[in-house]
Amino acid sequence: NAGVMQNPRHLVRRRGQEARLRCSPMKGHSHVYWYRQLPEEGLKFMVYLQKENIIDESGMPKERFSAEFPKEGPSILRIQQVVRGDSAAYFCASSPRGQGNLNYGYTFGSGTRLTVV
Amino acid sequence: AQSVTQLDSQVPVFEEAPVELRCNYSSSVSVYLFWYVQYPNQGLQLLLKYLSGSTLVESINGFEAEFNKSQTSFHLRKPSVHISDTAEYFCAVSRSGGTSYGKLTFGQGTILTVHP
């Protein structure tokens, strides 16, 4: 049973390009969370999604960032027109259920390290 | 809203020495508490968690943490560290009960470096 798979592991983009980060949750997990880790900082919550629904996007920057979790396929975090300040590690986590999920586990992927040059 | 403060950004220790990584939190509601470990260029791994019951929780690799509600702390301890414990450690909280869905608030992290 594979864990949470994130790809690519490393992504380099020039300023103004688009970045697409993918997250495949663990088998049987229908809840996905995205976190961002800026240099020298802890992880910050960005968005929580269930299949085809955004539940909480209170941590997402207002512009250029979007996330989806379609019925089929991985969750995608999309950053348009990247800037140097977007350089960070982006982590995805999944869990088997929402409410009360912490009793059942919450598994992180290995992250995508985005570098904007 | 919750907040987490890890009081030490870096903790250097010698192998086989004891260590304590400090974590304090602030919350107006009941919380669950966690410690995660991150090895270089890897994702976060859950080290231990407090959900309810005994305030002292232990991990399989010798770490333990004690939930102290009056001091709003959840310090991580190990009586004797190994070189392999070198990593960054994150304390995190999540509100408990109600419509909780596992949104975690993390501290800034503590880099533990174990020297031979």
Side-chain angles (χ1 to χ4, degrees):
Chain A
N1 186 12
V4 177
M5 304 301 294
Q6 289 189 250
N7 65 81
R9 291 292 301 274
H10 300 275
L11 181 62
V12 179
R13 285 286 178 266
R14 296 186 184 278
R15 281 178 293 171
Q17 291 184 320
E18 178 179 286
R20 281 182 176 247
L21 288 62
R22 295 176 185 77
C23 169
S24 297
M26 284 185 70
K27 186 177 180 180
H29 287 196
S30 58
H31 300 256
V32 165
Y33 312 79
W34 286 93
Y35 287 80
R36 176 166 66 173
Q37 184 179 27
L38 293 167
E40 312 294 327
E41 294 185 20
L43 281 76
K44 297 283 195 286
F45 169 81
M46 298 183 76
V47 62
Y48 161 47
L49 310 103
Q50 296 178 27
K51 288 279 188 181
E52 300 184 282
N53 283 304
I54 297 174
I55 307 302
D56 181 348
E57 55 182 348
S58 59
M60 289 279 270
K62 299 300 180 193
E63 298 177 347
R64 300 187 296 107
F65 284 72
S66 62
E68 63 176 7
F69 188 16
K71 187 176 181 181
E72 301 292 337
S75 175
I76 305 288
L77 180 67
R78 182 182 178 204
I79 311 172
Q80 295 177 292
Q81 300 176 337
V82 296
V83 300
R84 288 230 170 102
D86 297 333
S87 295
Y90 292 82
F91 290 97
C92 169
S94 74
S95 64
R97 60 185 71 187
Q99 192 167 349
N101 68 21
L102 294 171
N103 284 310
Y104 298 93
Y106 190 78
T107 304
F108 278 89
S110 297
T112 293
R113 282 152 183 85
L114 172 66
T115 302
V116 179
V117 298
Chain B
Q2 294 82 45
S3 67
V4 179
T5 301
Q6 291 182 242
L7 297 161
D8 306 293
S9 60
Q10 298 194 44
V11 174
V13 293
F14 288 105
E15 194 173 17
E16 298 183 4
V19 70
E20 178 181 79
L21 307 183
R22 296 178 292 170
C23 172
N24 287 91
Y25 70 92
S26 174
S27 177
S28 57
V29 298
S30 296
V31 295
Y32 296 140
L33 295 149
F34 306 84
W35 276 99
Y36 282 85
V37 58
Q38 184 180 27
Y39 298 101
N41 296 313
Q42 294 188 26
L44 278 74
Q45 301 173 30
L46 180 65
L47 191 59
L48 45 75
K49 61 185 176 185
Y50 170 77
L51 302 181
S52 64
S54 173
T55 57
L56 183 64
V57 290
E58 299 177 353
S59 72
I60 58 173
N61 57 354
F63 282 94
E64 64 178 31
E66 185 161 18
F67 170 51
N68 188 319
K69 189 174 182 180
S70 62
Q71 297 187 8
T72 60
S73 68
F74 192 55
H75 302 330
L76 181 69
R77 302 184 183 95
K78 189 171 185 179
S80 176
V81 294
H82 302 288
I83 297 287
S84 59
D85 293 324
T86 295
E88 189 162 15
Y89 292 79
F90 291 95
C91 182
V93 302
S94 174
R95 63 176 297 165
S96 65
T99 56
S100 165
Y101 51 74
K103 176 178 172 181
L104 293 171
T105 300
F106 284 88
Q108 301 92 325
T110 297
I111 297 174
L112 173 65
T113 305
V114 181
H115 299 284

